[in-house]
Amino acid sequence: MGHLTGLFYPWGLLLQGAAILHFIKRRPDTYWLYIVLFLGPIGAVVYLIAEALPDLGLLSGSLKVFPRRKRIRELEALVQANPSAGNFEELGDLYMEDGKLEKARAAFDRSISARGDSLDAFYRRGVCALQLGDAVNAVPDLERVVAKDPVYDFYRAGGLLAHAYALTGQKERAEALFRQVTARSVLSETYLNFADLLASEGKTAEAREWAQRVLDKKLAMPSYLKRRERPWFRSASKLLKRVPA
């Protein structure tokens, strides 16, 4: 194996480095790390083909960054001449995709001021508020959405409203809504937010049960979904370690 490493030098080290960086970022099964370390460049190539190559599909949003930012600039200019609700809502959506949550929230404010009947604008403004740590202001927006459409975004709106209730100290309302939503939704995000609430209430056995449900989904998932769900699987594992049995 040392002979092969020398044969591929320095490309073999670069391949191993790329494989290890990908492993740290994506955290696939632990055995892959041993394959990369002990099989050298060959192990790195096998890993990159099996694990990194399929992950290219998850980069579609990143690959759109330049056309998205071009469209943002166009809309920023357009709203000066035509400050319509639709233009501000599209601008808010693009800001969210670009991670500019404060700007997105302000754009949704303008959209709602111009036309206050778009559930999408209220929902996204509520999500922005929640991600910015402002659960108090997320509550009324999410309440409005769930009141008009309880199924909105495949029950994610209801799950986020329950989470916002929990963050604002309304634990009874949060638990009641979580139980309604989880009876119909299979979103890992909702399961884990519910598990966090239960753990905070001292209901450790049930908290662990909901975290375990996230991990149990892995068995029946196709590979591409497992890749998307990895952050939730890691969160579930951390919760199980943190909450005593």
Side-chain angles (χ1 to χ4, degrees):
M1 192 61 63
H3 173 72
L4 288 175
T5 301
L7 183 64
F8 288 108
Y9 181 84
W11 306 111
L13 292 177
L14 293 175
L15 286 170
Q16 283 184 284
I20 290 170
L21 285 173
H22 181 274
F23 178 89
I24 293 171
K25 183 176 181 180
R26 298 296 301 162
R27 297 294 178 87
D29 294 322
T30 306
Y31 65 79
W32 278 116
L33 183 59
Y34 295 102
I35 289 175
V36 172
L37 291 176
F38 292 109
L39 295 185
I42 293 176
V45 169
V46 171
Y47 172 86
L48 291 170
I49 292 173
E51 288 291 326
L53 190 59
D55 274 356
L56 290 177
L58 301 180
L59 297 177
S60 57
S62 300
L63 296 176
K64 295 177 182 177
V65 62
F66 296 112
R68 179 173 65 240
R69 289 179 180 173
K70 179 182 178 183
R71 181 57 179 161
I72 286 174
R73 289 193 295 272
E74 292 172 351
L75 282 166
E76 286 173 338
L78 181 59
V79 294
Q80 300 302 316
N82 180 17
S84 69
N87 286 337
F88 274 113
E89 188 172 326
E90 183 184 355
L91 183 57
D93 288 341
L94 292 172
Y95 280 144
M96 280 189 79
E97 290 178 18
D98 214 33
K100 298 174 180 176
L101 297 177
E102 291 282 8
K103 287 188 172 183
R105 187 180 186 182
F108 291 129
D109 283 341
R110 296 289 300 273
S111 176
I112 290 167
S113 296
R115 184 193 67 208
D117 62 353
S118 171
L119 282 188
D120 290 343
F122 280 103
Y123 175 62
R124 288 176 173 80
R125 187 173 71 173
V127 173
C128 284
L130 203 53
Q131 292 180 353
L132 288 166
D134 185 8
V136 171
N137 283 307
V139 166
D141 281 345
L142 294 172
E143 283 181 331
R144 185 187 187 102
V145 174
V146 173
K148 289 196 173 184
D149 185 3
V151 186
Y152 190 94
D153 200 9
F154 303 98
Y155 293 99
R156 184 174 183 241
L160 290 177
L161 176 57
H163 185 46
Y165 283 152
L167 292 174
T168 54
Q170 304 176 69
K171 293 192 174 184
E172 289 185 7
R173 296 183 73 182
E175 183 172 339
L177 185 53
F178 268 129
R179 294 196 185 280
Q180 291 177 29
V181 173
T182 53
R184 299 170 178 83
S185 171
V186 294
L187 290 177
S188 298
E189 176 186 42
T190 303
Y191 283 12
L192 286 170
N193 285 337
F194 188 24
D196 280 331
L197 171 65
L198 292 167
S200 73
E201 295 178 321
K203 300 175 181 178
T204 55
E206 193 176 3
R208 291 177 60 84
E209 178 186 334
W210 283 102
Q212 187 60 52
R213 289 191 188 192
V214 174
L215 296 176
D216 289 345
K217 292 194 294 181
K218 188 188 297 188
L219 297 174
M221 276 185 175
S223 296
Y224 78 93
L225 279 181
K226 287 181 183 178
R227 294 177 189 283
R228 293 184 185 277
E229 291 280 298
R230 274 178 184 163
W232 300 120
F233 295 151
R234 288 198 291 271
S235 295
S237 296
K238 288 178 182 178
L239 189 145
L240 289 173
K241 291 178 181 177
R242 173 168 54 87
V243 177

